[in-house]
Amino acid sequence: MSFTRFVEVGRICLVNYGPEEGKLATIIEIVDQNKCVIEGPAEVTGVERQMIPYSRIHLTDFKVDLYRNAKTKDIKKAWKEGDILAKWEKSSWAKKLASKSKRAALSDFGRFKVMVARKKKSEILAKAVKKLEA
């Protein structure tokens, strides 16, 4: 099992800090061992072209074919050809982030309803297990 998520031109990354936190971007240039240049494209993900340290991004498994310092239209075209947004939405990572944000947006009553539903589910499961054991 070897490492596969390398910092390379065309690698899709998730920004984990700053104003673009939680948005996808594409690495388009490697500056040095600590920084790279990323771009969304801005029309698709909302991330403008900018330099960012590696500590503020998470690399994903997705990659598009690009050349260094690609133009915005080429990045957008590569995203469309690779169907990156659809692949991202299907990934367990994106689903986990979505459920986390949904849960964080719940009100007190919403959290209460979730608790009651979990108790009911647990009760039903316990009855079913008891029935199987008997």
Side-chain angles (χ1 to χ4, degrees):
M1 190 105 161
S2 62
F3 186 75
T4 56
R5 292 181 184 173
F6 297 107
V7 175
E8 55 189 326
V9 174
R11 175 70 59 188
I12 307 299
C13 60
L14 179 72
V15 180
N16 64 14
Y17 186 80
E20 281 85 20
E21 183 177 0
K23 296 179 182 176
L24 291 176
T26 310
I27 296 176
I28 55 173
E29 177 71 61
I30 297 168
V31 178
D32 60 18
Q33 66 184 14
N34 296 317
K35 295 183 287 286
C36 64
V37 177
I38 62 170
E39 182 175 356
E43 294 85 27
V44 180
T45 64
V47 178
E48 297 286 335
R49 189 173 290 224
Q50 60 184 299
M51 192 180 317
I52 193 166
Y54 295 137
S55 61
R56 293 189 177 193
I57 59 173
H58 289 303
L59 301 176
T60 66
D61 290 330
F62 309 118
K63 186 179 181 316
V64 293
D65 288 328
L66 286 177
Y67 52 90
R68 288 176 52 197
N69 278 330
K71 295 179 181 177
T72 303
K73 68 175 186 173
D74 295 332
I75 298 171
K76 204 180 334 179
K77 181 180 172 188
W79 270 60
K80 194 172 283 188
E81 286 175 0
D83 202 21
I84 298 299
L85 283 178
K87 287 180 184 177
W88 172 251
E89 293 301 324
K90 289 180 188 174
S91 72
S92 60
W93 191 354
K95 289 176 185 174
K96 187 167 38 170
L97 286 176
S99 67
K100 202 175 192 181
S101 66
K102 186 177 180 183
R103 186 170 280 213
L106 284 177
S107 64
D108 188 40
F109 185 61
R111 287 189 295 273
F112 174 76
K113 289 194 292 188
V114 169
M115 180 197 68
V116 170
R118 288 179 69 191
K119 281 185 174 182
K120 284 183 182 179
K121 176 185 163 192
S122 176
E123 186 179 320
I124 291 169
L125 285 174
K127 284 182 182 177
V129 168
K130 203 170 206 178
K131 192 175 187 180
L132 288 173
E133 289 176 349

